[in-house]
Amino acid sequence: MGPLHPPDDVISMVLMADPVSLSVVRERFRRWLGALCWPAREVDDVVMAVNEAVTSAVEHTHPSAIGAEVRVAARQYAEPDGGRRVLVAVAGGEHWTPEPEGFEGPGLLMIHSCMDAIEVTKEADGTTMLLTSAKVPPLRQEF
């Protein structure tokens, strides 16, 4: 058997715009961040923020949009000082508009408290929310 391969720096999923998808997102992000040795408190922040963004996308999908999807992708990256962050993109349908009026809601305030940065872009076919996590320490290399 070969050596263990390092965890993937990237995770992505396409979910039905349905509340049932939320537990899948939370569980997969917890497992992924655990494999990346993310600090426990920061795992909670990222999972809560992603859950809230996906909840918003699901809740604001037009009821007539049969088979509507929410796409979630994230990647870990290192900054020049070795500190690590995750960048998460949550993309929903054309009826999801978490701005500008949505920025006052409790969900958005919670995301702001859990993440370092939020950026929302709206295109004709949908909205994408980009979330940047707080910086966590570099992984210590074990030799």
Side-chain angles (χ1 to χ4, degrees), residues 87-133:
L87 182 65
V88 184
V90 177
E94 61 191 274
H95 299 283
W96 180 39
T97 51
E99 47 79 39
E101 66 280 356
F103 265 104
E104 300 309 310
L108 265 291
L109 291 174
M110 200 272 287
I111 294 172
H112 272 289
S113 72
C114 291
M115 301 298 259
D116 266 11
I118 302 177
E119 185 183 319
V120 176
T121 56
K122 188 152 176 51
E123 307 288 336
D125 61 344
T127 299
T128 301
M129 187 183 285
L130 277 181
L131 311 174
T132 304
S133 75

Coordinates of all heavy atoms in Angstrom, one line a residue, residues 87-133:
L87 N -11.2 29.8 1.1 CA -12.1 30.7 0.3 C -13.2 29.8 -0.1 O -13.0 28.8 -0.7 CB -11.3 31.2 -0.9 CG -12.0 32.2 -1.8 CD1 -12.4 33.5 -1.1 CD2 -11.2 32.5 -3.1
V88 N -14.5 30.3 0.2 CA -15.7 29.5 -0.1 C -16.6 30.3 -1.1 O -16.8 31.5 -0.8 CB -16.5 29.2 1.2 CG1 -17.7 28.3 0.8 CG2 -15.6 28.6 2.2
A89 N -17.0 29.6 -2.1 CA -18.0 30.2 -3.0 C -19.3 29.5 -2.9 O -19.3 28.3 -3.0 CB -17.5 30.2 -4.5
V90 N -20.4 30.2 -2.7 CA -21.7 29.6 -2.7 C -22.5 30.3 -3.8 O -22.6 31.6 -3.8 CB -22.4 29.9 -1.3 CG1 -23.9 29.3 -1.4 CG2 -21.6 29.2 -0.2
A91 N -23.0 29.6 -4.8 CA -23.6 30.1 -5.9 C -25.1 29.6 -6.0 O -25.3 28.4 -5.9 CB -22.9 29.8 -7.2
G92 N -26.0 30.6 -6.1 CA -27.4 30.2 -6.1 C -28.1 30.8 -7.4 O -27.4 31.5 -8.2
G93 N -29.4 30.6 -7.5 CA -30.1 31.0 -8.7 C -30.3 32.5 -8.8 O -30.0 33.3 -7.9
E94 N -31.0 32.9 -9.9 CA -31.2 34.3 -10.2 C -32.0 35.0 -9.2 O -32.0 36.2 -9.2 CB -31.7 34.4 -11.6 CG -33.1 33.7 -11.7 CD -33.6 33.6 -13.2 OE1 -34.2 34.6 -13.7 OE2 -33.3 32.5 -13.8
H95 N -32.8 34.3 -8.4 CA -33.7 35.0 -7.5 C -33.1 35.2 -6.1 O -33.7 35.8 -5.2 CB -35.0 34.2 -7.3 CG -35.8 34.1 -8.6 ND1 -36.5 35.2 -9.1 CD2 -35.8 33.1 -9.5 CE1 -37.0 34.8 -10.3 NE2 -36.6 33.6 -10.5
W96 N -31.8 34.8 -5.9 CA -31.1 34.9 -4.7 C -30.4 36.3 -4.7 O -29.5 36.4 -5.5 CB -30.2 33.8 -4.4 CG -29.4 33.9 -3.1 CD1 -29.9 34.3 -1.9 CD2 -28.1 33.5 -2.9 NE1 -28.9 34.2 -1.0 CE2 -27.8 33.7 -1.6 CE3 -27.1 33.0 -3.8 CZ2 -26.5 33.4 -1.0 CZ3 -25.8 32.7 -3.2 CH2 -25.6 32.9 -1.8
T97 N -30.8 37.2 -3.9 CA -30.1 38.5 -3.8 C -29.8 38.9 -2.4 O -30.5 39.6 -1.7 CB -31.0 39.6 -4.4 OG1 -32.3 39.5 -3.8 CG2 -31.2 39.5 -5.9
P98 N -28.6 38.4 -1.9 CA -28.3 38.7 -0.5 C -27.7 40.1 -0.3 O -26.9 40.3 0.5 CB -27.2 37.6 -0.2 CG -26.7 37.2 -1.5 CD -27.7 37.4 -2.5
E99 N -28.0 41.0 -1.2 CA -27.6 42.4 -1.1 C -28.5 43.2 -2.0 O -29.1 42.7 -2.9 CB -26.1 42.5 -1.5 CG -25.7 41.8 -2.8 CD -26.1 42.6 -4.1 OE1 -26.0 43.8 -4.1 OE2 -26.5 41.9 -5.0
P100 N -28.6 44.5 -1.8 CA -28.1 45.3 -0.7 C -29.0 45.2 0.5 O -28.5 45.2 1.6 CB -28.0 46.7 -1.2 CG -29.1 46.8 -2.2 CD -29.2 45.4 -2.8
E101 N -30.3 45.0 0.3 CA -31.2 45.0 1.5 C -30.9 43.8 2.4 O -31.1 43.9 3.6 CB -32.6 45.1 1.1 CG -33.1 43.8 0.3 CD -32.8 43.8 -1.2 OE1 -32.1 44.8 -1.6 OE2 -33.1 42.8 -1.8
G102 N -30.4 42.7 1.8 CA -30.2 41.5 2.6 C -29.1 41.6 3.6 O -28.9 40.8 4.5
F103 N -28.2 42.6 3.4 CA -27.0 42.7 4.3 C -27.4 43.1 5.7 O -26.5 43.1 6.6 CB -26.0 43.7 3.7 CG -24.9 42.9 2.9 CD1 -25.0 43.0 1.5 CD2 -24.0 42.2 3.5 CE1 -24.1 42.3 0.8 CE2 -23.0 41.5 2.8 CZ -23.1 41.5 1.4
E104 N -28.6 43.5 5.9 CA -29.0 43.9 7.3 C -29.5 42.7 8.1 O -29.8 42.8 9.3 CB -30.0 45.0 7.3 CG -29.5 46.3 6.6 CD -28.1 46.7 7.1 OE1 -28.0 46.8 8.3 OE2 -27.3 46.9 6.3
G105 N -29.8 41.6 7.4 CA -30.4 40.4 8.1 C -29.5 39.8 9.1 O -28.3 39.9 9.0
P106 N -30.1 39.0 10.0 CA -29.3 38.4 11.0 C -28.3 37.3 10.4 O -27.2 37.1 10.9 CB -30.3 37.7 12.0 CG -31.6 37.7 11.2 CD -31.5 38.8 10.2
G107 N -28.8 36.7 9.3 CA -27.9 35.7 8.7 C -26.6 36.3 8.2 O -25.5 35.7 8.4
L108 N -26.7 37.4 7.5 CA -25.5 38.1 7.0 C -24.6 38.6 8.1 O -23.4 38.5 8.0 CB -25.9 39.2 6.0 CG -26.0 38.9 4.5 CD1 -24.7 38.7 4.0 CD2 -27.0 37.8 4.2
L109 N -25.2 39.1 9.1 CA -24.4 39.6 10.3 C -23.7 38.4 10.9 O -22.5 38.6 11.3 CB -25.3 40.2 11.3 CG -26.0 41.6 10.9 CD1 -27.0 42.0 12.0 CD2 -24.9 42.6 10.7
M110 N -24.3 37.3 11.0 CA -23.6 36.1 11.5 C -22.5 35.7 10.6 O -21.4 35.4 11.1 CB -24.7 34.9 11.7 CG -24.2 33.9 12.6 SD -23.2 32.6 11.8 CE -24.5 31.8 10.9
I111 N -22.7 35.7 9.3 CA -21.6 35.3 8.4 C -20.4 36.3 8.6 O -19.3 35.9 8.6 CB -22.1 35.3 6.9 CG1 -23.1 34.2 6.7 CG2 -20.9 35.1 6.0 CD1 -23.8 34.2 5.3
H112 N -20.8 37.6 8.6 CA -19.7 38.6 8.9 C -18.9 38.4 10.1 O -17.7 38.6 10.2 CB -20.3 40.0 8.9 CG -20.4 40.7 7.6 ND1 -19.4 41.1 6.9 CD2 -21.5 41.0 6.8 CE1 -19.8 41.7 5.7 NE2 -21.1 41.6 5.7
S113 N -19.6 37.9 11.2 CA -18.9 37.7 12.5 C -18.0 36.4 12.4 O -17.1 36.3 13.2 CB -19.9 37.6 13.6 OG -20.6 36.3 13.5
C114 N -18.3 35.5 11.5 CA -17.6 34.2 11.4 C -16.4 34.3 10.4 O -15.5 33.5 10.4 CB -18.5 33.1 11.0 SG -19.7 32.6 12.2
M115 N -16.5 35.2 9.4 CA -15.5 35.2 8.3 C -14.9 36.6 8.2 O -15.4 37.6 8.7 CB -16.2 34.9 7.0 CG -17.0 33.6 6.9 SD -15.9 32.2 7.1 CE -15.7 31.6 5.4
D116 N -13.7 36.6 7.6 CA -13.0 37.9 7.5 C -13.5 38.8 6.4 O -13.5 40.0 6.5 CB -11.5 37.6 7.2 CG -10.6 37.6 8.5 OD1 -11.2 37.6 9.6 OD2 -9.4 37.6 8.4
A117 N -14.0 38.2 5.3 CA -14.5 39.0 4.2 C -15.7 38.3 3.5 O -15.7 37.1 3.5 CB -13.4 39.3 3.2
I118 N -16.6 39.1 3.0 CA -17.7 38.6 2.2 C -17.8 39.5 0.9 O -17.7 40.7 1.0 CB -19.1 38.7 2.9 CG1 -19.1 37.9 4.2 CG2 -20.2 38.2 2.0 CD1 -20.4 38.1 5.0
E119 N -17.9 38.8 -0.2 CA -18.1 39.6 -1.4 C -19.3 38.9 -2.2 O -19.3 37.7 -2.3 CB -16.8 39.5 -2.2 CG -16.8 40.3 -3.5 CD -15.5 40.0 -4.2 OE1 -14.4 39.9 -3.6 OE2 -15.5 39.9 -5.5
V120 N -20.2 39.7 -2.7 CA -21.3 39.2 -3.4 C -21.3 39.7 -4.8 O -21.1 40.9 -5.1 CB -22.7 39.6 -2.7 CG1 -23.9 39.2 -3.5 CG2 -22.7 39.1 -1.3
T121 N -21.4 38.8 -5.8 CA -21.5 39.2 -7.2 C -22.8 38.7 -7.8 O -23.2 37.5 -7.5 CB -20.3 38.7 -8.0 OG1 -20.3 37.3 -7.9 CG2 -19.0 39.3 -7.6
K122 N -23.5 39.5 -8.6 CA -24.8 39.1 -9.2 C -24.6 39.2 -10.7 O -24.2 40.2 -11.2 CB -25.9 40.1 -8.7 CG -27.2 39.6 -9.1 CD -28.3 40.1 -8.2 CE -29.7 39.7 -8.6 NZ -29.9 38.3 -9.0
E123 N -24.9 38.0 -11.3 CA -25.0 37.9 -12.8 C -26.4 37.7 -13.2 O -27.3 37.4 -12.3 CB -24.1 36.8 -13.2 CG -22.6 36.8 -12.7 CD -21.8 38.0 -13.3 OE1 -22.1 38.4 -14.4 OE2 -20.9 38.4 -12.7
A124 N -26.7 37.6 -14.5 CA -28.0 37.4 -15.0 C -28.5 36.0 -14.5 O -29.7 35.8 -14.2 CB -28.1 37.5 -16.5
D125 N -27.6 35.0 -14.4 CA -28.1 33.7 -14.1 C -28.0 33.3 -12.7 O -28.2 32.2 -12.3 CB -27.3 32.7 -15.0 CG -25.8 32.7 -14.7 OD1 -25.4 33.7 -14.1 OD2 -25.1 31.8 -15.1
G126 N -27.6 34.2 -11.8 CA -27.5 33.9 -10.4 C -26.5 34.8 -9.6 O -26.0 35.7 -10.1
T127 N -26.4 34.4 -8.4 CA -25.6 35.2 -7.4 C -24.6 34.3 -6.8 O -24.8 33.1 -6.5 CB -26.6 35.8 -6.3 OG1 -27.5 36.6 -6.9 CG2 -25.8 36.5 -5.3
T128 N -23.4 34.9 -6.6 CA -22.3 34.1 -5.9 C -21.9 34.9 -4.7 O -21.6 36.1 -4.8 CB -21.1 33.9 -6.8 OG1 -21.6 33.1 -8.0 CG2 -20.0 33.1 -6.2
M129 N -21.8 34.2 -3.6 CA -21.2 34.8 -2.4 C -19.9 34.2 -2.1 O -19.7 33.0 -2.1 CB -22.2 34.6 -1.2 CG -21.8 35.3 0.1 SD -22.8 34.9 1.5 CE -24.3 35.8 1.1
L130 N -18.8 35.0 -2.0 CA -17.5 34.6 -1.7 C -17.2 34.9 -0.3 O -17.3 36.0 0.2 CB -16.4 35.3 -2.6 CG -16.2 34.8 -4.0 CD1 -15.1 35.6 -4.7 CD2 -15.8 33.3 -4.0
L131 N -16.8 33.9 0.5 CA -16.5 34.0 1.9 C -15.0 33.7 2.1 O -14.5 32.7 1.6 CB -17.3 33.0 2.7 CG -18.8 33.0 2.4 CD1 -19.4 31.8 3.2 CD2 -19.4 34.3 2.8
T132 N -14.3 34.6 2.8 CA -12.9 34.3 3.1 C -12.8 34.1 4.6 O -13.2 35.0 5.4 CB -12.0 35.5 2.7 OG1 -12.2 35.8 1.3 CG2 -10.5 35.2 3.0
S133 N -12.2 33.0 5.1 CA -12.1 32.7 6.5 C -11.0 33.5 7.2 O -10.2 34.2 6.5 CB -11.8 31.2 6.7 OG -10.4 31.0 6.4

